[in-house]
Amino acid sequence: MIPRSLGAILSPIGRFALWIVLLLAMLATGVVQWQQGAHIQTDILAMLPHLQQDKLTETALNKVEQQLANQVYIAVIANNDSQAISAAKQLMISLEQQTQQPFTAIRSGADDHLQDLAKVYFEHRFGLLTPEQAHAIETGHWRQLLNAAQSQLYSAFGFANSQLLSNDPLLMFPANLLALSPNSALRSQQGVLLTDTVDGVAAIVMAKGRDSAFSPTAQQMQMQALESAFSQINQHYPEVSFLKAGALFHAIAATESAKQEISRIGLISMLGIILLVWLAFRSMMPLFAALLTLTSGVVFAFVATLSFFGELHLLTLVFGTSLIGVAIDYSFHFYCEKQAHPNDNASDTLTRIFPALTLALVTSVSAFVAIGFTPFPGMQQVAVFCAAGLMGAYLTLLLVFPLLGNHGLKPTRGLTLAQGYLTVLQRTFIPSRLWQKVAIAALLIGLTAILFFGLSQADTDDDIRQLQQSPAAITSEENQLRQLLSGGTDNQFILVSGHNEQALLQTLEQLVPVLDKAVADGELGQAISLSRFMPSIARQRHDYQLQQQLYRQHLDEIITEMGLNDSIKTSLLAQLDQATTQWLTPKRVLAQANDDLHALWLGAISTTDNTEQYGAIVLLGGIHSLVSLEQRLTDQNWSLGQVRLIDKVGDISALMGKYRQLTLQLLVWVFVLASLLFSIKYGIKLALAIVAVPALSVLLTLACLGLVGSSISLFHALALILVLGIGIDYSLFFAEAKHTSRGVMMAIFMSACSTLLAFGLLALSQTNAIHFFGLTLLFGISFAFLLAPFISFITRKTL
C-alpha cells in the first residue's frame, strides 16, 4: 500500500517535515499571487457565463452595461416646484464638492449641448419635418401649418420672432425641436427635471459612479457621499425625502449579505464541528488535528484558486464554506477507525482506511471537477477551491497524522451507539416476523408514492435572476422611482444594423411605427431611438422636396397671411436652393450630442469576415410582453438591415437550461460508469448496491424538491453532483469495512453531521442560487446517510 511504501522511505518526522515544506511553499505562492494583483472579486456579473456573440452584439452589450451599470438615480421629493429645484441643485453641488469625488456626470435636466445641437438642426431645417407636418403637406392641407403658425404668432407664450419668421415663416422648426423629446411626464425648470407625485413634486438627479458599483471600496465612498448630501439637504429642508435606484444599492445589499453569510455559516459550522469532535472523542488532540486538516485544506484552496484565476469571488467563499464539512471527514474516519482498533499505531490505521479514503477523494474531486465544466466563472472557482482543499486535507492526513495520531483515545459511547444503530437496522430490515415484512412493504410503498408524486410535481426554472434576490425595500424604492421616470429603461434592448450608415438609419426609421404600435397595444412603455435625432438622407430628401414644393407654390400666400415683408422671399428661396446638397449626417449630430446619444450609436464595427456593419441601440422601457414584442419584430420584413431583440438575461437563462440538462445527463453517465468500474473490484452485486445509494438519494431529493415547490435549476443539478460524490464515499467506506462497520458508521455519522452543518446551512442563504444549492444538499446528504448502512447487509460484515 502507498502509506507503507511512504513509511519505508520517510519516517513520521520526515513526512511531517515534507508537509511543512509543502505548506510553506503554498503560503509563499499565495503571498506572491497577492502582491501581483490577486484580489477578492465582489462583482456579481463576474459569475455570469460568457456568451459567444458576434462582434456587433458584444459591443452593444458592453455599451449598454457601461451606461447602466454604475448609474445612480435620485428622486428628491418636496412639497412644491421651488423647494424641489433648490434641494436638487444643492444635492448636485454637494456631490460635486465631495473630496474624493466618487461620482461623475452629475446632472438633472440641464444639457449644455442642446443649444449647439439646435443650431445644427436649424442649419438643416429644410430637410426636417415631423410626420404630422409631412402628412399635411402631402395631402394638401398645408393651411393647417399656416393656422398653427398664426396661433404662435399672436400667442403671449409663442416663440416667434422676426429672425425666426424670416427663415422659417411657418414656424415648423420649433415643432421639430419639441418632437426630439420623448413623451414623458417629466418637465424641466431651471435645468432640473421635475414630475408630479402624490406627495408633491419630485426632482430627478442622475450621477455615474467613478468606479464599479460592485467594488466594496467604491460602494463605501459613494454611499458616504450620498448620505452626507442627504443630511445637508435635510438640515435646510427637513420635510424633503429621497428615493434611490441603481445597481449600487443592489450591489451593497449583495455584498453585505455575502459577508454576513460567510461569517454566520462559517462560525456555526466551525462551532458545531468542534462540539461534534469533543463529544465523539473527549480529547483535544483529535480536535487540533481536525482543525489542522481543515486549515491546510483552506490554504491549498485559496492559493490554487488565486493561481488559476488571479482572483477569488466573494460567492466562492460562501460556497467554499462547505469545504469545512467535507475536508474534515478525513480526520473523522482516521480517529473513528483508531478508536475501533486502539492497539494499532497511526500508520496501521492509515493503511486500513487508505483504499476507501483514496477512492472517496477521487470521487469527490471528480464531482467538483464536473462542476468546473459549467460556463459560470464563479462555479469554476468553487470547483477549483473545493477540489484543491480536499487534496490539501488528504495530504495532511497522510503526512501529519503518522506523527500526531499515535496518542491514546479515551473510550466513548460513540462506537457502542454506532454498533447499536447498525444492529437495529439489521433486525428491522432483515425481518423474521410477519409484522416486520408488512412494515417494510408499507415503507417501500410510501417511498414509491413519494417518488411518484414528488417527481410528477417537479418542474424547472433557469432564470438567471435567481443569482441574487435583493431586499424588498430596495426593489420597492426602485419601482417607485421607475414610475416617476416613465418606466425607465430595461436590460433588454433592440440592436439595429445595416451594411452602411444610411441603410442603418432607414432601418431605424422603419422600426418607429412598429414600436409605436407596440406602445399603443400595451406591450411596451417607451422606446428611445436615434431615429428622431439622425434622419436618413432619404427621409431628409423627401422632406426637402415637400418644403420646396410648398414654398415655391405658396410662399407669396404665406408671406401675405403671416403679415411678413416680401423682402424675405429672395433670401428664403436662396437658402432653400443652397440646402439641396447639405444633408444632416450622424457625424455632424454626434459632434454636438451628449453622452446619452453617443451611447446609442455603435458606428462601424469590423466583423470576423473583414466586413463592416453599422449598428445602433434602441433602449426599451416598461416592457410588459417580451414575447409579443419579439414576435412583432420577427414578423416584419427588414429589407435594408437587421433588427434583433437582445435579451442577455434570457440568453444566459437559456444557457443555464442547456447546462442543467447536460449536468443531469452527466449524472446518469457517471452512475453507469461507476457501476462498471466498481464491479471490477467488488463484483456486480456490491457495485450496484454502492451506486444505488447515491442514485436513490438523487431521486428522493428531486422528489422532495418537487413536493416543496422548489423548481429545478442548474444550481440544484450542480448540488446533485456532490450528492453523487458524497453518497459514493459513504457506500465505499462500508464496502471496504473488513471485520466491523461500527467505526465506519460512527465516522459516517460525524461526516454527515459536519457536511449538513456546512451544506445544510447554505439553505438559509438569502441568495437564491446558494439557497437552492444548500437545500438540495440538505435533502441529498440526509438520504445518503440513511441509505449507506444498508451496504453492510450485503457485505455481512456486521454479522
Side-chain angles (χ1 to χ4, degrees):
M1 302 295 291
I2 292 179
R4 291 190 182 278
S5 302
L6 188 60
I9 300 173
L10 294 174
S11 65
I13 295 178
R15 295 194 215 179
F16 185 78
L18 177 60
W19 175 80
I20 292 292
V21 171
L22 287 175
L23 188 62
L24 290 176
M26 293 298 290
L27 289 172
T29 302
V31 171
V32 171
Q33 290 288 334
W34 197 262
Q35 290 177 342
Q36 291 179 349
H39 60 282
I40 301 296
Q41 172 63 262
T42 59
D43 188 347
I44 190 71
L45 299 176
M47 271 197 75
L48 300 181
H50 301 297
L51 296 173
Q52 297 297 322
Q53 303 280 13
D54 60 85
K55 187 66 174 178
L56 188 64
T57 304
E58 184 180 349
T59 303
L61 284 169
N62 291 337
K63 206 157 190 178
V64 171
E65 287 174 1
Q66 288 172 7
Q67 182 186 10
L68 300 179
N70 300 326
Q71 193 80 13
V72 172
Y73 301 88
I74 307 295
V76 183
I77 312 295
N79 295 327
N80 51 60
D81 288 7
S82 176
Q83 189 180 67
I85 292 171
S86 298
K89 287 183 176 180
Q90 184 176 341
L91 173 61
M92 289 187 284
I93 292 173
S94 178
L95 292 178
E96 289 172 351
Q97 292 178 345
Q98 292 291 327
T99 305
Q100 296 175 317
Q101 294 185 329
F103 292 105
T104 62
I106 303 166
R107 59 192 175 91
S108 183
D111 191 345
D112 297 334
H113 300 268
L114 185 59
Q115 188 173 359
D116 293 333
L117 195 56
K119 292 179 180 178
V120 173
Y121 286 123
F122 188 75
E123 293 172 3
H124 298 84
R125 64 191 178 281
F126 293 112
L128 302 176
L129 289 174
T130 65
E132 294 78 14
Q133 292 170 344
H135 180 72
I137 299 173
E138 286 175 331
T139 56
H141 296 89
W142 64 272
R143 284 191 171 275
Q144 294 177 357
L145 304 179
L146 179 62
N147 294 335
Q150 289 175 330
S151 298
Q152 285 293 326
L153 184 62
Y154 299 112
S155 171
F157 302 99
F159 33 69
N161 58 60
S162 59
Q163 183 178 2
L164 178 60
L165 284 167
S166 64
N167 293 283
D168 182 20
L170 284 178
L171 298 177
M172 291 189 289
F173 177 70
N176 273 276
L177 282 185
L178 292 175
L180 295 179
S181 301
N183 295 328
S184 173
L186 298 175
R187 63 184 189 278
S188 181
Q189 288 187 29
Q190 301 180 36
V192 176
L193 285 176
L194 299 175
T195 185
D196 296 323
T197 72
V198 293
D199 299 320
V201 178
I204 308 299
V205 174
M206 294 161 280
K208 194 171 184 66
R210 187 176 298 277
D211 298 313
S212 172
F214 298 96
S215 164
T217 303
Q219 290 171 9
Q220 184 178 7
M221 292 172 56
Q222 292 175 23
M223 280 305 299
Q224 287 178 351
L226 290 172
E227 289 171 357
S228 174
F230 294 164
S231 177
Q232 292 177 25
I233 293 172
N234 283 135
Q235 290 177 4
H236 295 89
Y237 307 101
E239 64 277 17
V240 166
S241 59
F242 305 93
L243 291 176
K244 309 180 298 296
L248 170 67
F249 310 105
H250 295 277
I252 290 174
T255 301
E256 289 302 316
S257 176
K259 288 180 178 178
Q260 292 175 8
E261 287 171 5
I262 290 171
S263 302
R264 182 173 65 249
I265 293 174
L267 179 62
I268 296 176
S269 297
M270 188 64 69
L271 292 177
I273 289 171
I274 290 173
L275 179 62
L276 189 65
V277 173
W278 175 257
L279 292 176
F281 304 114
R282 300 297 175 89
S283 173
M284 293 301 296
M285 183 54 74
L287 182 59
F288 171 76
L291 293 177
L292 184 64
T293 303
L294 177 60
T295 302
S296 302
V298 170
V299 169
F300 274 72
F302 261 89
V303 175
T305 306
L306 293 178
S307 298
F308 272 96
F309 301 99
E311 63 182 19
L312 184 65
H313 200 285
L314 193 61
L315 287 182
T316 300
L317 293 178
V318 177
F319 280 106
T321 56
S322 60
L323 182 64
I324 296 173
V326 181
I328 209 167
D329 292 353
Y330 299 152
S331 59
F332 289 166
H333 283 287
F334 174 85
Y335 278 106
C336 288
E337 191 66 27
K338 183 170 176 56
Q339 193 174 58
H341 302 86
N343 296 324
D344 288 353
N345 60 31
S347 296
D348 292 335
T349 303
L350 280 175
T351 299
R352 186 177 289 108
I353 66 173
F354 178 76
L357 196 68
T358 303
L359 280 173
L361 173 72
V362 171
T363 54
S364 296
V365 169
S366 298
F368 282 116
V369 169
I371 291 178
F373 283 104
T374 64
F376 286 80
M379 297 311 297
Q380 291 167 359
Q381 283 194 17
V382 170
V384 172
F385 187 92
C386 292
L390 289 179
M391 287 188 281
Y394 177 81
L395 290 174
T396 301
L397 184 73
L398 294 184
L399 299 178
V400 175
F401 279 51
L403 180 64
L404 300 183
N406 279 314
H407 57 280
L409 293 176
K410 297 178 181 180
T412 63
R413 296 185 60 193
L415 290 174
T416 303
L417 292 174
Q419 181 62 57
Y421 177 72
L422 288 172
T423 302
V424 169
L425 287 180
Q426 180 184 347
R427 290 177 178 175
T428 302
F429 290 96
I430 302 180
S432 57
R433 299 180 181 178
L434 178 61
W435 68 267
Q436 289 178 306
K437 296 180 180 179
V438 173
I440 292 173
L443 178 62
L444 292 176
I445 293 173
L447 286 176
T448 303
I450 290 175
L451 285 172
F452 176 79
F453 289 108
L455 293 176
S456 65
Q457 294 295 316
D459 62 353
T460 61
D461 185 358
D462 300 300
D463 195 337
I464 192 63
R465 296 177 184 87
Q466 294 177 123
L467 274 175
Q468 183 61 44
Q469 187 74 22
S470 294
I474 294 177
T475 305
S476 174
E477 192 171 356
E478 181 174 276
N479 289 336
Q480 293 179 55
L481 187 46
R482 285 177 66 91
Q483 291 300 316
L484 297 180
L485 293 172
S486 302
T489 55
D490 296 324
N491 291 322
Q492 296 86 359
F493 62 91
I494 293 174
L495 175 60
V496 182
S497 60
H499 62 276
N500 59 48
E501 197 171 76
Q502 289 305 308
L504 168 63
L505 295 178
Q506 290 183 60
T507 306
L508 283 170
E509 291 168 354
Q510 189 181 354
L511 177 62
V512 170
V514 179
L515 294 180
D516 288 344
K517 188 66 167 59
V519 172
D521 292 346
E523 298 170 4
L524 185 65
Q526 65 173 347
I528 303 174
S529 173
L530 286 171
S531 61
R532 295 196 308 270
F533 303 93
M534 298 180 183
S536 67
I537 291 178
R539 176 177 150 193
Q540 292 179 67
R541 184 177 287 114
H542 174 265
D543 290 350
Y544 173 81
Q545 290 171 352
L546 289 177
Q547 292 198 60
Q548 186 183 48
Q549 172 189 335
L550 175 65
Y551 286 127
R552 290 197 181 280
Q553 294 179 2
H554 304 286
L555 182 55
D556 291 335
E557 193 174 350
I558 292 171
I559 290 175
T560 300
E561 298 204 24
M562 290 293 294
L564 303 177
N565 194 312
D566 285 341
S567 62
I568 71 168
K569 180 176 180 180
T570 302
S571 174
L572 186 63
L573 292 177
Q575 294 178 42
L576 186 63
D577 291 337
Q578 189 178 2
T580 305
T581 57
Q582 295 181 356
W583 308 119
L584 183 63
T585 64
K587 182 178 180 180
R588 188 79 173 89
V589 174
L590 292 172
Q592 304 298 336
N594 59 16
D595 291 340
D596 292 336
L597 289 185
H598 278 278
L600 300 179
W601 181 255
L602 300 178
I605 303 295
S606 298
T607 60
T608 53
D609 56 357
N610 295 323
T611 60
E612 283 189 341
Q613 280 281 335
Y614 285 77
I617 295 167
V618 177
L619 293 179
L620 306 174
I623 299 174
H624 301 295
S625 177
L626 190 64
V627 174
S628 299
L629 179 61
E630 187 170 16
Q631 185 63 47
R632 188 183 294 273
L633 297 177
T634 304
D635 291 342
Q636 295 295 317
N637 179 23
W638 310 103
S639 56
L640 297 174
Q642 292 183 337
V643 176
R644 288 178 288 162
L645 181 65
I646 304 298
D647 179 14
K648 184 176 182 180
V649 172
D651 291 342
I652 294 176
S653 298
L655 189 61
M656 284 183 64
K658 174 184 175 182
Y659 276 90
R660 170 183 50 78
Q661 294 175 353
L662 290 176
T663 301
L664 294 176
Q665 292 172 9
L666 173 66
L667 280 174
V668 176
W669 283 109
V670 169
F671 284 133
V672 173
L673 183 61
S675 300
L676 295 175
L677 292 177
F678 291 154
S679 64
I680 298 175
K681 178 176 175 61
Y682 300 107
I684 187 64
K685 181 179 179 181
L686 185 54
L688 290 176
I690 292 173
V691 174
V693 169
L696 190 54
S697 299
V698 166
L699 290 175
L700 287 170
T701 299
L702 289 172
C704 288
L705 291 173
L707 291 175
V708 300
S710 183
S711 300
I712 309 301
S713 68
L714 176 60
F715 300 100
H716 295 87
L718 295 175
L720 291 176
I721 292 178
L722 294 186
V723 172
L724 163 65
I726 294 173
I728 287 179
D729 288 356
Y730 293 172
S731 300
L732 285 172
F733 276 102
F734 274 109
E736 284 290 328
K738 301 299 181 184
H739 303 291
T740 178
S741 298
R742 61 177 187 164
V744 172
M745 186 67 244
M746 180 179 175
I748 295 243
F749 172 77
M750 296 182 67
S751 172
C753 287
S754 63
T755 304
L756 289 175
L757 278 170
F759 282 128
L761 288 174
L762 294 179
L764 302 177
S765 173
Q766 298 300 309
T767 303
N768 284 343
I770 301 175
H771 165 74
F772 296 150
F773 195 82
L775 182 65
T776 305
L777 286 163
L778 180 64
F779 286 133
I781 299 304
S782 299
F783 287 127
F785 167 74
L786 293 173
L787 294 172
F790 290 94
I791 299 294
S792 63
F793 296 176
I794 299 175
T795 60
R796 303 293 181 176
K797 301 301 182 183
T798 55
L799 296 178

